[in-house]
Amino acid sequence: MNSFSMALLHPNLLPTFNSNPLTFPPVKLKPSLSFSLSRSHFPPPTPTRFTLSASAAGTVVAQEEALPTPKPEKLGVVVKTTEKPRLVLKFIWMEKNIGIALDQTIPGHGTIPLSPYYFWPRKDAWEELKELLESKPWISQKQMIILLNQATDIINLWQQSGGNLS
């Protein structure tokens, strides 16, 4: 015989049923002044000051004095304009050649050379510059056209001057 069947046969091990209802002692709660409302829904309370004065009859009278309300602090936002990196053509102006190079200028950080100097007329500097610009996917078509037009203008100016700066 297992323990469960033994429990069914033994009268002291059987559960009993109490027909009396459960009763609990009364609970007294103290009044509380705290609220669970969010502070963001209500403006902060205005601070007040009370002064106590005694009258001739011996009673104490409280008089309310309003404190000056603090002025709200003005917060300002300073937006610093950040200059974008720029592409810059550099030139070496010589009597028999003109050198063209491309750099990237990052404001506040310096200059990054993106190409060597390409010399014209020794080689086709314009074509080499064009190939370099096309190999940089982050350089837009518009920027590429502007840079190539600037290079063309400087090469033409160099040709017209015959390599002389004067």
Side-chain angles (χ1 to χ4, degrees):
M1 191 182 290
N2 63 23
S3 61
F4 180 69
S5 57
M6 286 177 43
L8 290 177
L9 298 176
H10 196 281
N12 292 339
L13 297 177
L14 293 175
T16 59
F17 177 73
N18 188 350
S19 61
N20 296 334
L22 293 175
T23 57
F24 296 101
V27 177
K28 293 183 181 180
L29 298 175
K30 292 182 180 179
S32 173
L33 296 178
S34 64
F35 299 98
S36 63
L37 299 174
S38 170
R39 296 181 110 199
S40 64
H41 291 95
F42 297 100
T46 306
T48 54
R49 179 182 292 166
F50 293 95
T51 56
L52 299 176
S53 59
S55 67
T59 59
V60 177
V61 178
Q63 293 178 334
E64 185 177 343
E65 274 183 36
L67 293 176
T69 57
K71 293 182 181 178
E73 184 180 330
K74 276 192 173 182
L75 298 177
V77 177
V78 177
V79 178
K80 188 175 181 181
T81 57
T82 57
E83 294 181 44
K84 293 181 181 179
R86 295 180 306 147
L87 295 174
V88 178
L89 286 175
K90 291 193 169 185
F91 298 91
I92 299 176
W93 191 286
M94 298 180 287
E95 197 173 307
K96 296 186 179 182
N97 295 301
I98 185 167
I100 304 172
L102 181 67
D103 286 358
Q104 184 177 28
T105 302
I106 302 174
H109 295 286
T111 302
I112 302 168
L114 297 179
S115 76
Y117 277 92
Y118 302 117
F119 291 95
W120 195 90
R122 199 180 319 165
K123 289 186 177 178
D124 191 352
W126 188 90
E127 191 63 39
E128 288 179 318
L129 181 62
K130 180 181 176 227
E131 288 173 10
L132 173 85
L133 292 170
E134 288 172 343
S135 73
K136 309 284 184 198
W138 50 271
I139 298 176
S140 70
Q141 188 75 25
K142 182 180 178 181
Q143 282 180 312
M144 188 184 318
I145 291 169
I146 290 170
L147 290 168
L148 289 172
N149 284 342
Q150 289 174 344
T152 301
D153 291 343
I154 298 297
I155 290 171
N156 288 339
L157 185 64
W158 179 83
Q159 283 179 321
Q160 291 169 359
S161 71
N164 294 325
L165 286 174
S166 54

